[in-house]
Structure formats: structure tokens, C-alpha cells
Amino acid sequence: PAAELTESKTSKIVFGLEVKKETTHANVIGIVYAFFTMTTVLGYINVQIVYLIRDADYFSVEEAQQGTVMSDVLFWAFLSGLLYSFVAGYVFDIFGRKVPLFVAALTAAFMLYLMPFTSPSIAALTAVRVVIQMAAGQLGSHPLIADYVKQPSRGRAAALQNLGSLV
């Protein structure tokens, strides 16, 4: 049975979660927002790349090669994201929480803006997609649940975080 949530000297209830006393509503929203931003950016960009590589005004990749080009771009992006995941936690430990989250979201947005300007270079498009994957990895690696949510509510907080991916 789930433990009943009660406020104490060291905790309070925010959005049905038992959180540390100093935690604000904005802190809890940040848990959802980081995953929402990551999912939105990656979903939009992966579709956008497909349109860019086949568009005659940009990359004009032949239909028979589009799958290979897309796979190559994503391979390097995912590999870099995998490698960066070993560093992402240290970035939060060194710079705190707000700065890495803000920089990652801003970086992803700027790279999205740059994507069409990489034409006709598939290498430049791949480099931009790599940076986007690293920014998304930073957003997804946040330690906000551990920072703000008390142990009895961490399962619900993880489900709330997943809501950011689904919205």
C-alpha cells in the first residue's frame, strides 16, 4: 500500500508529491518540462531531417539513398549521445541545475535553427544533429527527482516525468 502523504518540518506536498520543504511548484514543473523539451526537440528534428534530405532545394538525396543517409546521421548522433551520457551528470554537479538545463534547451533550439543552413553538406547536418543529441542527453539526465522529491513519492515523480515525454 502507498504511504499516505503528510507534510512535516522537512517536507511538503506539491502536485500530490512529497517534496523537500524548499521545493517550489516551478521545481516540480521543471521535472516534466525537461523531458517535454527533450521529446519535442528530438521528435521534430528527426522528422525535419527526412524532409530536408529529400528536398531538392536543400540536400536533394536520391530516394534510394535517403534511408542510408538518415541512418548514418542518426547513428553518429546516437553514438555521441551515448558517449556524452557519461559526462552529463558531471555537468550538473559542476554547474548546478538551472544553467545546464537552460543551455541545453537553448543549444537544441539554436541547432534546430541552423539545420537548413547546413545544406548541402551531410557532414554539417550530422554535426548539428550530434550537438542536438548531446543537448537532449543533458536534458534527460537531470537529477531533479533526487534533488526535490522525497523517497515515498519518487515513483510517482518518475511517472510524472514520463508525462513530459507523452505530452
Side-chain angles (χ1 to χ4, degrees):
E4 187 172 321
L5 297 178
T6 57
E7 293 194 18
S8 71
K9 290 182 180 180
T10 61
S11 68
K12 65 181 180 180
I13 308 302
V14 175
F15 298 128
L17 301 172
E18 185 179 356
V19 298
K20 297 172 183 172
K21 197 70 167 177
E22 64 276 2
T23 301
T24 66
H25 285 76
N27 295 139
V28 175
I29 290 169
I31 293 170
V32 178
Y33 180 73
F35 265 71
F36 170 77
T37 303
M38 177 186 71
T39 304
T40 302
V41 165
L42 291 178
Y44 180 78
I45 285 173
N46 287 340
V47 171
Q48 193 65 27
I49 290 175
V50 172
Y51 287 111
L52 284 174
I53 64 173
R54 73 181 189 182
D55 191 311
D57 293 334
Y58 290 95
F59 295 95
S60 193
V61 174
E62 295 178 25
E63 187 174 346
Q65 293 298 314
Q66 290 174 7
T68 302
V69 170
M70 185 67 181
S71 294
D72 289 347
V73 170
L74 291 179
F75 170 79
W76 292 111
F78 292 158
L79 180 63
S80 66
L82 176 70
L83 296 174
Y84 183 74
S85 67
F86 293 105
V87 176
Y90 291 108
V91 173
F92 283 111
D93 291 342
I94 294 167
F95 296 105
R97 306 307 186 241
K98 292 178 185 176
V99 171
L101 288 171
F102 179 75
V103 169
L106 194 62
T107 299
F110 184 65
M111 291 295 116
L112 173 61
Y113 168 77
L114 286 181
M115 278 179 58
F117 299 107
T118 62
S119 172
S121 172
I122 297 296
L125 177 66
T126 302
V128 165
R129 182 60 181 84
V130 161
V131 173
I132 290 167
Q133 189 67 39
M134 292 168 64
Q138 190 67 51
L139 289 168
S141 299
H142 70 73
L144 300 180
I145 290 176
D147 285 352
Y148 301 137
V149 181
K150 293 283 211 165
Q151 179 64 36
S153 292
R154 288 193 179 150
R156 281 176 275 154
L160 183 65
Q161 174 177 269
N162 189 50
L163 180 66
S165 298
L166 301 173
V167 172

